[in-house]
Amino acid sequence: KTHPEVGKLLRDVPLTTLGILLLLYIATVGALVLIFTATLRLCKLKIEAGEVSLLTAYSSVINFFGPLQSGPAFRAVWLYQKYKLNLKAYAMATFVYYLFFGFFSGLFLISGLFGWWTLLLSIIGASCIYFAVGTRWIAPRLKNLDMRGWYYLAIATLIQVSLMAVIYTIELKAVDPNINVGQAIIYTGAANLALFVSLTPGAIGFREAFLLFSQQLHHISPSVIVATNILDRTLYITLMLLL
């Protein structure tokens, strides 16, 4: 109401851009299916692809509208009741996913400052450290997990974070064409890391706060941040209704 420039920015977004963004968000659901499949592989549990897709869709809706990112808890209850899932293994596998998600999001945050090669070198370095240390010290301590799913989960998580970077880049440039890719990558990292402290549905308020606090890194104006988040949440709620 008090910032009419936000409405003007949103009115200028083409309908074709909205359609592309919605398709990309549908692709992120596919990435979540891959992540869930990898999580089940870590837990040594195999279920039909259709059920994996439905559980992913329902838990995504619960994750957005429910408090404290409650989607994984919904999946845990469902899988325990139906398949007697090892909850300790599932909790560990979920922790591994969040570790990858935080790692890649953090790399996106700093790679926007130091260049894309930072992301590439960090991934290579982390892989070398795992092969040198993880296979000897970490893997033996995770006996409840099928470690062959470890790499699958890492790749699926990187696909998810990369898709989010593409979505945020398109949204930001639709609102302000002067935004560059480096700014969008930093923005992606900050927006993703906000999910770790989200106490509200969809991290409403928390994500915006993270993006404002990190403004000195990405140099995106508050009006563009607000307009982009309104656009993003409108598209995401549309996706939730479709699911």
Side-chain angles (χ1 to χ4, degrees):
K1 182 179 179 179
T2 58
H3 295 79
E5 70 276 10
V6 173
K8 183 179 183 304
L9 290 172
L10 289 172
R11 285 194 296 270
D12 293 337
V13 177
L15 289 177
T16 52
T17 301
L18 298 179
I20 292 171
L21 287 169
L22 189 57
L23 289 175
L24 285 170
Y25 259 123
I26 292 173
T28 64
V29 177
L32 290 174
V33 171
L34 294 178
I35 289 168
F36 187 27
T37 303
T39 303
L40 292 175
R41 181 177 292 186
L42 281 169
C43 297
K44 303 177 183 178
L45 179 64
K46 186 176 182 180
I47 63 179
E48 293 183 358
E51 188 170 7
V52 172
S53 300
L54 284 174
L55 278 173
T56 301
Y58 294 146
S59 62
S60 295
V61 175
I62 293 172
N63 211 45
F64 182 80
F65 292 105
L68 299 174
Q69 302 290 305
S70 46
F74 163 76
R75 292 195 297 266
V77 172
W78 176 278
L79 293 170
Y80 177 75
Q81 290 183 344
K82 189 169 183 179
Y83 299 103
K84 299 303 178 184
L85 172 71
N86 184 327
L87 293 178
K88 183 178 179 180
Y90 178 79
M92 184 62 69
T94 302
F95 173 77
V96 170
Y97 160 65
Y98 283 127
L99 187 67
F100 282 133
F101 186 82
F103 173 70
F104 290 129
S105 297
L107 287 182
F108 273 51
L109 187 65
I110 64 173
S111 66
L113 296 174
F114 301 107
W116 63 269
W117 53 269
T118 309
L119 179 62
L120 181 62
L121 290 178
S122 298
I123 293 174
I124 294 173
S127 300
C128 292
I129 291 172
Y130 173 73
F131 281 116
V133 179
T135 53
R136 176 174 293 185
W137 300 102
I138 298 177
R141 288 166 172 75
L142 300 177
K143 295 180 180 179
N144 291 329
L145 302 184
D146 180 358
M147 300 310 294
R148 289 173 297 178
W150 179 284
Y151 312 104
Y152 185 34
L153 180 58
I155 293 171
T157 307
L158 181 58
I159 291 173
Q160 178 198 17
V161 176
S162 299
L163 281 171
M164 293 308 304
V166 173
I167 289 171
Y168 287 143
T169 300
I170 294 174
E171 289 176 345
L172 286 166
K173 292 187 76 66
V175 173
D176 182 0
N178 296 318
I179 300 294
N180 59 51
V181 175
Q183 288 176 292
I185 290 175
I186 298 172
Y187 179 101
T188 301
N192 286 347
L193 291 175
L195 294 175
F196 287 104
V197 293
S198 61
L199 302 175
T200 56
I204 291 175
F206 287 89
R207 189 170 78 185
E208 288 76 5
F210 265 62
L211 291 168
L212 287 172
F213 291 152
S214 60
Q215 191 177 3
Q216 291 185 344
L217 298 176
H218 53 64
H219 304 291
I220 298 174
S221 68
S223 60
V224 172
I225 290 174
V226 172
T228 303
N229 276 270
I230 291 173
L231 173 62
D232 181 76
R233 295 190 186 286
T234 301
L235 288 165
Y236 198 75
I237 289 174
T238 303
L239 175 67
M240 293 299 100
L241 293 174
L242 290 174
L243 292 180

